[in-house]
């Protein structure tokens, strides 16, 4: 009887906490489904590639540094016009590069994996608003220049 109670305790520890979501909130439903898909792929032994996320964070930090310099540099306004122009241009350029990276490199991917017995995977999902169809698209990731070896 003691063995069965210890197994029951182990299964309770392994059981995950269920996430309660309002089914009318389609963004939250998609987020929960995306997390489940990512967890399922990672549980199959694939490793996630973080280079795209790291690139996005670096671009965001550089854009924020330009914005902080424009805001807090200790120079009175009429003298700081050239500095403000450079900082606003830098912010615009790096924010634009970030948006282009999200649009054309990331392409709605929720997960990019390292190769495992072949090319890596790119997992994309779609969940159109006001519809009940959730689509998972799994492709071979051929973008070696971004994801690396």
């Amino acid at each position: 009887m003691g063995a069965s109670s210890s197994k029951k305790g182990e299964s309770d520890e392994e059981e995950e906490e269920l996430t309660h979501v309002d089914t009318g909130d389609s963004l939250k439903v998609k987020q929960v489904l995306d997390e489940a898909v990512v967890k399922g792929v990672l549980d199959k032994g694939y490793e996630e590639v973080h280079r795209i996320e790291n690139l996005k964070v670096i671009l965001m930090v550089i854009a924020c540094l330009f914005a902080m310099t424009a805001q807090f540099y200790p120079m009175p306004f009429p003298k700081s016009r050239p500095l403000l122009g450079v900082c606003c241009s830098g912010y615009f350029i790096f924010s634009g590069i970030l948006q282009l990276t999200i649009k054309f490199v990331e392409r709605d991917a929720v997960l990019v994996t390292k190769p495992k017995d072949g090319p890596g995977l790119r997992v994309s999902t779609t969940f159109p608003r006001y519809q009940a169809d959730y689509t998972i698209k799994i492709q071979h990731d051929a973008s070696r220049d971004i994801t690396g070896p």
Side-chain angles (χ1 to χ4, degrees):
M1 186 148 177
S4 65
S5 64
S6 66
K7 286 190 176 209
K8 184 179 179 183
E10 289 175 8
S11 66
D12 289 341
E13 290 174 4
E14 292 176 5
E15 188 175 315
E16 296 180 20
E17 183 177 323
L18 297 177
T19 305
H20 298 282
V21 179
D22 179 20
T23 55
D25 187 0
S26 61
L27 291 175
K28 185 65 176 174
V29 170
K30 183 182 184 313
Q31 179 185 9
V32 169
L33 291 172
D34 287 349
E35 289 173 2
V37 167
V38 168
K39 184 179 182 312
V41 171
L42 294 178
D43 286 347
K44 291 294 181 184
Y46 287 94
E47 292 183 47
E48 187 172 3
V49 173
H50 296 285
R51 290 192 181 177
I52 295 172
E53 286 82 13
N54 292 343
L55 175 66
K56 290 180 354 185
V57 168
I58 289 169
L59 291 170
M60 284 186 268
V61 166
I62 293 171
C64 288
L65 288 174
F66 275 111
M68 287 179 12
T69 302
Q71 179 69 31
F72 298 116
Y73 195 77
M75 186 185 295
F77 171 64
K79 292 180 182 178
S80 66
R81 274 191 168 175
L83 176 69
L84 290 175
V86 168
C87 288
C88 289
S89 298
Y91 179 81
F92 176 75
I93 289 168
F94 282 99
S95 294
I97 293 170
L98 173 64
Q99 292 303 314
L100 291 173
T101 301
I102 291 170
K103 177 82 173 166
F104 295 111
V105 176
E106 193 176 45
R107 299 186 314 251
D108 295 332
V110 294
L111 177 67
V112 178
T113 66
K114 293 181 181 177
K116 175 185 169 187
D117 302 329
L121 300 177
R122 176 179 292 272
V123 181
S124 303
T125 61
T126 56
F127 189 49
R129 198 169 199 176
Y130 305 118
Q131 293 186 12
D133 298 331
Y134 179 77
T135 307
I136 302 170
K137 185 168 144 183
I138 301 175
Q139 301 173 315
H140 290 288
D141 183 36
S143 60
R144 307 304 320 150
D145 56 338
I146 297 297
T147 58

